[in-house]
Amino acid sequence: MEQLYQENAKIVYHYLLSLCHDRHLAEDLTQETFLRAYQSLERYDGNCKISTWLCQIAKHLYYQYLSKHKREVVTQPDEEAIADTPPPEETVLYRLELMDILKEMQKLPGQMREVIYLRVAADLSFREIGEILGRSENWARVNFYRGKEMLIKAARAAEWEDKHE
């Protein structure tokens, strides 16, 4: 089990981080994922990569977390994350552009948005994304491409509006 953890913990953590955007929650859910995997290891049938199976467990744990904590509001900022950020004058434009992209991503259909997060943030292959979401590799590839095109189109429209104001 230790070897399984060493080989896959980073993948599971980054996948969860791409979903929740909270390092502490991602760490907690990563630990819980491996506990659940250990408890149900006999049910792993080998039809997919072990990392894919672990990410499926992680996704279900995250969804369970969301359903249990939907009314909970975070009251304290993540002080470690604040300490790691560069000075504001270096990141103002980057943050504005990132916010625009993230706002546009929220407009995408749910699974299309999830495909983009998994590809970009978790650096998973289209095959792995398809396995995690219960779809084909080609489906993941097409949804990523379509989502990317929608984001580019929205960025161009926003750029055009900025120039013509």
Side-chain angles (χ1 to χ4, degrees), residues 87-163:
E89 61 273 6
E90 294 178 15
T91 60
V92 171
L93 287 175
Y94 170 77
R95 293 178 65 96
L96 289 173
E97 290 172 359
L98 180 60
M99 290 300 293
D100 289 341
I101 291 170
L102 291 174
K103 284 178 187 175
E104 288 302 320
M105 282 185 70
Q106 291 305 313
K107 296 176 186 176
L108 296 175
Q111 285 198 320
M112 185 179 287
R113 184 175 56 243
E114 194 169 357
V115 167
I116 291 173
Y117 281 134
L118 291 173
R119 181 70 177 166
V120 174
D123 197 30
L124 296 177
S125 71
F126 291 116
R127 185 173 67 69
E128 291 169 322
I129 294 168
E131 288 176 3
I132 289 168
L133 298 177
R135 303 291 188 122
S136 70
E137 176 181 347
N138 193 48
W139 176 90
R141 189 178 305 277
V142 167
N143 273 273
F144 179 79
Y145 175 79
R146 288 179 181 164
K148 185 176 72 170
E149 289 298 310
M150 291 170 79
L151 291 173
I152 290 169
K153 185 176 180 180
R156 286 182 182 152
E159 188 178 304
W160 187 85
E161 286 177 15
D162 289 344
K163 287 181 182 180

